[in-house]
Amino acid sequence: MKEKIKQKIYSGERLNDQEALTLFDWDLPELGHAADFRRGLISPENTVGFIVDRIINYSNLCEAKCDFCAFHARGNVIKEYELSLDDILRKTEELHRIGGSQVMLQGGLHPDKKIEYYEKILKEIKGSFPEISLHSFSPSEIVHISLMSGLSVENVLERLLNAGLDSVPGASDLLVDRIRKMVSPNKIDADTWESTMRTMHRFSIKSSATMTYGMGETLEERISHLMRIRKLQDDTGMIRAFITWSFSPNMTKLQDITPSTGTDYLKTVTVSRIVLDNVKYIQAGWLTEGMKIAQISLAMGVNDMGGVLMEETVVKATGITENTNAPEMIELIKNAGKTPVRRNSSYEEIERYS
Ligand code: SF4
């Protein structure tokens, strides 16, 4: 069985779910080699991209209160906050000043705000910084805005697009309702996530897709998540990148869960690369896994480091302190034997550091 699967991988054939599942039993070097071979088929260049970006978490008020989240406001534990428009513009200006090119606006499922609030933020940012790309919100925020505003998802997308939205992060969590019901029962289910993504893609809004693992799922369930993403990409072709990261339990209601290991991350990201043969960019999850593991992943099929994240607060709420900046990112990529490329949100090259 293993030899047959190996043959399929090295001849560029697609694996089915049963075959993909057995990859978790392979030794890591062998798996990493196979994943890097598959990376070469879809992205033969020896480059690794990164983007100078900033996440602006405009508010931590959230009705969903997911058990796996350390970010949302709750009682006396985490104080609620809401940034003013001036704060948001000042943060964007700081990013603009250092040559950054992408803002990710992300919040929770806000209890009061309607479409006009989000339109205003987008318009103000685009009005002052037209060259900054707005890779913002998430499928669950978009569905929530539609419910709060009494509008269809299509109407919401149309209005956000007109206000300046460029693309949307996939924020897929884990597309397994058994787990979603346990850890995020108030968030959209997997089918709604997919239908929202399909609607966005119909509106030519490109996205990423993600996977958060390590919340009690089986390996079969991780594979089923990947298969769902692959099918979606087959149908729409609008997924620009895939990012997987492990769940960080600290400071969440699930803090008794043992965090996943670096080996588990490397296996999961390499299996993702092999299964997702139609997604060009697989990003390293450096924020949760650390820079060293991220660097190793560059030899195992990963070809993008994602953003330098001038600011990020959702993952940091779990106590993670990992930070980076453009010079460090360039150095790390070079030391992995790759050519660093600073890119924009559309994965177009801005500068190459050879
Ligand atoms: S993960 Fe998102 S939706 Fe869930 S509680 Fe946190 S902010 Fe809210």
Side-chain angles (χ1 to χ4, degrees):
M1 169 91 155
K2 184 174 174 186
E3 274 317 303
K4 186 181 147 219
I5 292 172
K6 220 171 179 176
Q7 229 173 33
K8 280 181 99 169
I9 291 174
Y10 283 99
S11 59
E13 278 181 67
R14 179 168 272 196
L15 299 191
N16 65 33
D17 48 1
Q18 285 311 310
E19 292 164 337
L21 185 61
T22 66
L23 296 177
F24 282 101
D25 296 329
W26 288 27
D27 288 340
L28 193 49
E30 196 176 20
L31 190 57
H33 188 274
D36 203 47
F37 175 83
R38 292 295 284 242
R39 187 268 313 156
L41 295 184
I42 192 166
S43 176
E45 320 83 52
N46 197 38
T47 55
V48 171
F50 68 95
I51 188 166
V52 179
D53 64 347
R54 180 170 200 162
I55 299 183
I56 301 180
N57 297 112
Y58 51 88
S59 170
N60 66 349
L61 281 166
C62 181
E63 284 190 332
K65 302 190 188 316
C66 307
D67 285 358
F68 68 84
C69 173
F71 165 72
H72 64 276
R74 46 199 190 280
N76 297 326
V77 187
I78 308 262
K79 244 180 101 201
E80 55 189 56
Y81 77 82
E82 205 167 285
L83 298 182
S84 67
L85 192 51
D86 282 350
D87 285 337
I88 294 172
L89 289 173
R90 180 183 46 76
K91 285 172 181 283
T92 309
E93 203 276 326
E94 286 168 2
L95 175 74
H96 187 250
R97 212 180 318 132
I98 64 158
S101 59
Q102 174 179 282
V103 162
M104 291 173 79
L105 292 162
Q106 289 194 305
L109 310 188
H110 198 286
D112 312 318
K113 305 293 187 203
K114 296 193 170 58
I115 182 84
E116 292 78 14
Y117 169 78
Y118 304 96
E119 282 178 315
K120 186 159 176 56
I121 297 177
L122 294 173
K123 279 183 185 159
E124 291 282 341
I125 295 180
K126 274 289 176 186
S128 303
F129 308 100
E131 55 289 283
I132 294 276
S133 189
L134 293 168
H135 180 59
S136 295
F137 309 123
S138 64
S140 49
E141 280 171 277
I142 285 164
V143 170
H144 184 72
I145 296 168
S146 87
L147 293 173
M148 290 299 296
S149 314
L151 295 168
S152 66
V153 166
E154 284 85 350
N155 279 337
V156 167
L157 290 173
E158 220 160 40
R159 287 179 62 166
L160 295 179
L161 267 177
N162 284 337
L165 180 69
D166 292 297
S167 56
V168 174
S172 327
D173 302 332
L174 195 69
L175 297 171
V176 174
D177 284 332
R178 183 183 77 82
I179 298 292
R180 294 175 92 88
K181 278 185 194 140
M182 286 194 295
V183 303
S184 54
N186 303 318
K187 230 175 169 178
I188 54 176
D189 63 14
D191 282 349
T192 311
W193 177 88
E194 186 178 328
S195 66
T196 309
M197 291 286 277
R198 286 181 183 275
T199 308
M200 281 172 5
H201 292 172
R202 264 205 317 279
F203 275 74
S204 298
I205 301 174
K206 292 198 171 165
S207 71
S208 54
T210 64
M211 174 167 78
T212 309
Y213 65 89
M215 295 187 288
E217 77 287 345
T218 62
L219 294 179
E220 284 87 347
E221 286 170 331
R222 285 189 208 176
I223 296 292
S224 84
H225 176 109
L226 294 175
M227 291 295 169
R228 197 159 187 167
I229 304 276
R230 186 169 80 181
K231 173 76 173 74
L232 175 62
Q233 179 72 333
D234 276 347
D235 294 346
T236 73
M238 299 291 278
I239 297 173
R240 291 197 290 216
F242 175 80
I243 311 113
T244 186
W245 53 74
S246 60
F247 165 56
S248 306
N250 202 20
M251 312 290 282
T252 73
K253 284 191 190 146
L254 304 174
Q255 57 188 345
D256 291 341
I257 290 185
T258 308
S260 302
T261 63
T263 305
D264 192 16
Y265 170 73
L266 290 170
K267 284 204 168 181
T268 303
V269 79
T270 47
V271 171
S272 305
R273 165 55 86 193
I274 293 169
V275 170
L276 298 176
D277 53 5
N278 51 4
V279 177
K280 185 168 182 184
Y281 298 101
I282 303 287
Q283 274 184 25
W286 64 264
L287 185 62
T288 50
E289 315 309 321
M291 296 305 265
K292 274 289 151 205
I293 294 281
Q295 190 177 39
I296 294 168
S297 75
L298 299 183
M300 299 186 169
V302 170
N303 59 346
D304 196 273
M305 284 294 287
V308 303
L309 301 182
M310 185 183 176
E311 179 181 1
E312 195 284 337
T313 50
V314 174
V315 175
K316 297 251 165 75
T318 65
I320 282 177
T321 54
E322 200 71 31
N323 270 311
T324 192
N325 51 49
E328 187 187 44
M329 199 76 107
I330 292 165
E331 190 67 13
L332 177 138
I333 296 169
K334 279 188 176 171
N335 288 340
K338 306 277 181 177
T339 304
V341 166
R342 186 160 63 91
R343 61 165 176 84
N344 63 16
S345 302
S346 305
Y347 289 75
E348 294 158 348
E349 184 172 326
I350 298 174
E351 191 171 357
R352 183 174 285 241
Y353 308 86
S354 33

